[in-house]
Structure formats: C-alpha cells, structure tokens
Amino acid sequence: MTTSKKSSVAEIRARFDADVERFSRLETGQVATMDAVVCMNLVAEAAAACSPASPRVLDIGCGAGNYSLAFRDRVPEARFTLVDLSRPMLERARERLGGSVEQARQGDIRRLAFDAGRFDVILAAAVLHHLRTPGEWRTLFAAAHRWLRPGGGFWVFDLVDHEHPAVRALMRRRYGEYLEGLGGAAYRDKVFAYIEREDTPRPLGWQLRLLHDTGFASVDVLHANAGFAAFGAIKARSARKRAA
Ligand SMILES: C[S@@+](CC[C@H](N)C(=O)[O-])C[C@H]1O[C@@H](n2cnc3c(N)ncnc32)[C@H](O)[C@@H]1O
C-alpha cells in the first residue's frame, strides 16, 4: 500500500472543518457509506450491552458526535471524552452532547495520552482509515487496550480493505454499483477519488488479528458488507499475557 501521496493531517483537518453540517446528520454525512445507520446502531447497542453502569466513554474522531449520541440514547448517564482533529467538528459534538461531556480535545489520535484504565468504552467510527503505517495502527490499538478498564470495550466502524486482489476487485465493483445507484457514475468516481487521495484502510482480518495481538481477549464482528465493517473487542477482566 502506498501512503506517501496521501492527504496530510492538515489537508484532512481542512476538509472536515468545512463539512460539519453534513456530518451532523448521519443520513447525509455518511450517505456514501454502506449500511451506515445499521452499523451505528449495532455498535451503540453492542457497546451498551457490554458496558457497566455509568460508563466513561472515549470517542476518537468523534466528528459531530453521532456515535456518542447513539450510545447516550442507550446509556443516558454515560460521560464522554471527545477527540477530533477538527475544532468545528469538536465544538458541534460538544454542543450536541451538552452536559454529558467531561472533556473535549482537539488533536490527532496518534498523539493522545490518557491514564491507563480510564475508560469503559472506546468508540472509533470512520476514523481509523486515516492511520497510515502498520506501526501507527499497532500503537493505537495497544493504547486503546491500555486506556480501557478490565472488561472495557473498543468498538469500531470503518471502511476496510480486502487481502486477495480478486476479492478487493469484487468488493470495489459492488461498492461502485452502490454509489452509482445513489448519484450516478460521476458521484461514484468522486467518492473513489477521495478514498484514493485520503484513506488507507486495512483488511478486516488484519485488524482482528491486531486486536488479539495487542491484548484484547474477545473480538466480535457485528456486520460486514463490501468495504465496510463494524466490530469490537473486549479487554480481559484479569491480566492476560500480550503477544510479542
Ligand atoms: C468521517 S468523520 C466520522 C465522524 C464520526 N465518528 C461519525 O461517525 O459520525 C471522520 C472524523 O475523524 C476526524 N479525523 C480524521 N483523522 C483524524 C485524526 N488523525 N485524529 C483525530 N481525528 C481525526 C475528522 O476530523 C472527522 O471529524
């Protein structure tokens, strides 16, 4: 995978700074995403089902707060720490979540530091595909594991790649047909062009293996369709030896 010509962090921030209204509504913000609403609800429900009472939640790449809001619908007493590169996105999320917000931080998910065991739930929706090198993914997954309490859950929805070239081509064709059905060939080409410019997704199997390798005890797929997947991992309740 070539990452050198991909958008920089500053370019990604500028794009999202200008797109707060669209991303404040799941039906319009993620229209290019297959099964966006189904996946958001599945992630929120699974995260809520595995969470203790009064959880502390970290939402990385929170955007305008859609996933935190979906979680709070199920667990009203949850307290949120929000992180996003984009100040306008973060402000919108803070506004929408009101008194449920404990902390809002503008920053890159690669540069975060939190105390070990601080959170019960970590949400990461449509953001991990901005990580570039395998080392960045490993560092982030290991950090998520460290920041969770024993029994805490890391829940992800994202664009995913495929390992076999023929399967990748098949899924690209299916996704292309979906986009064409929404907005015609020009819309399909526009979405494919920004994915090419901006995103570096990794295969689902690769991410699931990395979750195990970074210490997570149970890993479950909630939904996968063409190039999109929702999944989660739980930190063991008692100490478990990490793979080298
Ligand atoms: C597609 S939006 C998804 C927002 C939200 N999670 C949702 O599903 O509605 C991606 C968000 O991730 C943020 N983002 C992208 N790269 C990031 C990074 N390296 N660190 C922090 N936030 C990032 C963007 O600013 C944007 O708000």
Side-chain angles (χ1 to χ4, degrees):
M1 180 184 306
T2 309
T3 60
S4 55
K5 296 225 164 48
K6 296 283 179 176
S7 303
S8 66
V9 169
E11 286 166 336
I12 292 171
R13 184 191 306 118
R15 178 165 94 77
F16 284 107
D17 279 354
D19 230 351
V20 176
E21 285 312 319
R22 188 162 72 89
F23 277 96
S24 298
R25 298 181 56 220
L26 198 73
E27 337 61 274
T28 51
Q30 300 202 9
V31 73
T33 299
M34 291 171 83
D35 299 342
V37 176
V38 168
C39 286
M40 185 179 75
N41 287 326
L42 274 170
V43 164
E45 277 171 39
C50 298
S51 149
S54 306
R56 290 177 109 177
V57 180
L58 170 65
D59 186 346
I60 53 174
C62 63
N66 292 327
Y67 271 65
S68 285
L69 285 163
F71 184 83
R72 194 184 62 177
D73 283 349
R74 276 99 180 160
V75 188
E77 73 281 11
R79 312 285 301 158
F80 295 87
T81 294
L82 307 172
V83 174
D84 204 280
L85 265 185
S86 158
R87 171 63 59 187
M89 283 285 191
L90 199 60
E91 287 310 322
R92 178 60 60 89
R94 196 212 290 263
E95 232 173 80
R96 292 170 89 201
L97 284 149
S100 305
V101 177
E102 244 173 23
Q103 195 187 158
R105 279 197 202 178
Q106 184 184 9
D108 187 332
I109 57 170
R110 283 166 285 222
R111 313 259 176 274
L112 294 175
F114 292 106
D115 291 341
R118 181 180 166 87
F119 299 106
D120 300 289
V121 174
I122 300 177
L123 303 172
V127 66
L128 298 180
H129 63 262
H130 291 118
L131 296 172
R132 300 299 187 222
T133 65
E136 288 180 352
W137 286 81
R138 174 173 279 276
T139 301
L140 194 277
F141 280 23
H145 184 268
R146 195 169 57 250
W147 298 333
L148 284 169
R149 284 190 199 152
F154 178 35
W155 299 96
V156 179
F157 168 64
D158 218 331
L159 179 67
V160 293
D161 196 4
H162 293 86
E163 296 186 18
H164 196 288
V167 177
R168 179 181 299 132
L170 163 69
M171 295 306 181
R172 184 181 163 89
R173 177 172 57 69
R174 278 177 42 92
Y175 184 37
E177 286 165 4
Y178 168 81
L179 292 171
E180 234 182 299
L182 281 179
Y187 178 67
R188 177 201 63 205
D189 293 346
K190 185 173 135 199
V191 174
F192 278 157
Y194 80 63
I195 290 175
E196 184 54 36
R197 191 169 57 246
E198 194 167 283
D199 303 339
T200 40
R202 297 271 166 182
L204 178 57
W206 185 90
Q207 295 189 54
L208 301 182
R209 287 192 292 280
L210 190 57
L211 287 167
H212 280 298
D213 284 356
T214 48
F216 285 94
S218 64
V219 176
D220 275 306
V221 175
L222 305 174
H223 186 82
N225 187 6
F228 296 92
F231 53 97
I234 303 289
K235 179 170 177 169
R237 290 195 177 275
S238 53
R240 175 172 170 263
K241 200 171 179 310
R242 272 215 351 227

